[in-house]
Structures are given as C-alpha cells and as structure tokens.
Amino acid sequence: DIITLTLGKALGSSGAITISNKTIIDYLINKASTFIFSTALPSADIMWSYFLLNEKIEFLKEKKEKLTALFKSFNLKSQIVPIIIGEAQKTKKLAHIAQDNGFFVSAINPPTVPVGTSRLRISLTSDITKEEIERFLKVIGYGF
C-alpha cells in the first residue's frame, strides 16, 4: 500500500508525505523524477507540518469531524463546492453581492470553464457554521 497525504490545503503548509514500506519508498526516492528534480521544502513548512501532526493531532481531528458534519448537513462530497449559475454576468453579479455581504467568493467564468457553466466557487473550512452557510445561500438566492 502507498498512502499520500497532501500538506498544502489540509495543514496550511506545502508539499506532501508518502507512507509505504521501505522497498517502495527506496524505489520512489531513486526513480520518481518529480522527487529527484524537486527543490527541498522550506524548513519552516516542515516544522509547521511536524508540529501539527505531532502536537495538534486532536485539534485536527476535531476540525475534521466538524467539517464532516457540515458535509452531511448539506449533502456535500468536498470542501470545494461549485455552485453552477450558468451565465457569466449573473455569476459575476452574485459574486459581488456575496462579497458585499462579507463572503469571499470567486466567480469562475470562461475560458476557465465552458461557456454556459459559470459558477461560484466556495471553499468551506471547519470554522464556518451551518448558519453562515444558510445565510450565504439566502444572500445569493440559491435554493430559497
């Protein structure tokens, strides 16, 4: 088995960790060109990740449980949620309305996405509350 854990979005750090048996790790170290030709991670990032994984693991577990509960409440599969609006101008307008109401929301428009599929991109964190999500949905008039 090979387990890869990203450290960027999950821990606010950078890089990733691969966990496996010694044979596979030795193989990856010697054969994975992206590893061989990459630059070393900054020491501060390594220490931050180490600190979180060793000193704050219970805190991280609590955050994960809270986010998982939010996922269940709103039937979500990921912390990055696209709300497809369709027309680019309407999407931009809704993004501005959301921003004016205190929500940091980006409008994703062509050419990033196909014409007719413009969307708002929402990134949830474990610090957001169910009430804040409901308020956001009301602000943009989604589902109400």
Side-chain angles (χ1 to χ4, degrees):
D1 290 341
I2 300 173
I3 300 169
T4 301
L5 308 168
T6 60
L7 302 174
K9 290 181 181 174
L11 297 181
S13 187
S14 64
I17 299 169
T18 298
I19 302 167
S20 191
N21 66 45
K22 184 173 178 7
T23 302
I24 291 174
I25 295 299
D26 287 344
Y27 178 83
L28 292 173
I29 287 171
N30 291 291
K31 297 291 184 180
S33 61
T34 54
F35 178 78
I36 294 169
F37 297 111
S38 69
T39 42
L41 294 173
S43 298
D45 285 350
I46 294 168
M47 293 309 297
W48 175 249
S49 298
Y50 181 87
F51 168 74
L52 289 173
L53 293 171
N54 287 283
E55 304 295 329
K56 294 294 186 180
I57 197 72
E58 292 305 316
F59 171 78
L60 295 174
K61 286 178 183 177
E62 289 172 18
K63 294 284 191 179
K64 179 184 175 191
E65 289 170 10
K66 185 176 176 195
L67 196 54
T68 300
L70 278 174
F71 285 7
K72 289 179 182 174
S73 294
F74 291 94
N75 197 28
L76 301 172
K77 306 266 186 265
S78 171
Q79 75 276 9
I80 299 174
V81 182
I83 299 178
I84 298 174
I85 306 300
E87 194 238 319
Q89 281 306 109
K90 182 177 180 183
T91 304
K92 289 177 190 174
K93 182 179 178 182
L94 286 173
H96 287 296
I97 290 169
Q99 291 164 7
D100 289 345
N101 282 274
F103 295 99
F104 182 74
V105 178
S106 298
I108 310 298
N109 295 304
T112 306
V113 295
V115 173
T117 67
S118 291
R119 62 202 66 193
L120 299 174
R121 183 173 188 231
I122 315 304
S123 297
L124 301 177
T125 71
S126 60
D127 293 326
I128 196 165
T129 66
K130 185 177 178 183
E131 293 74 27
E132 288 171 317
I133 295 171
E134 289 169 347
R135 187 170 76 79
F136 167 75
L137 293 173
K138 286 179 183 172
V139 163
I140 65 165
Y142 188 82
F144 293 96

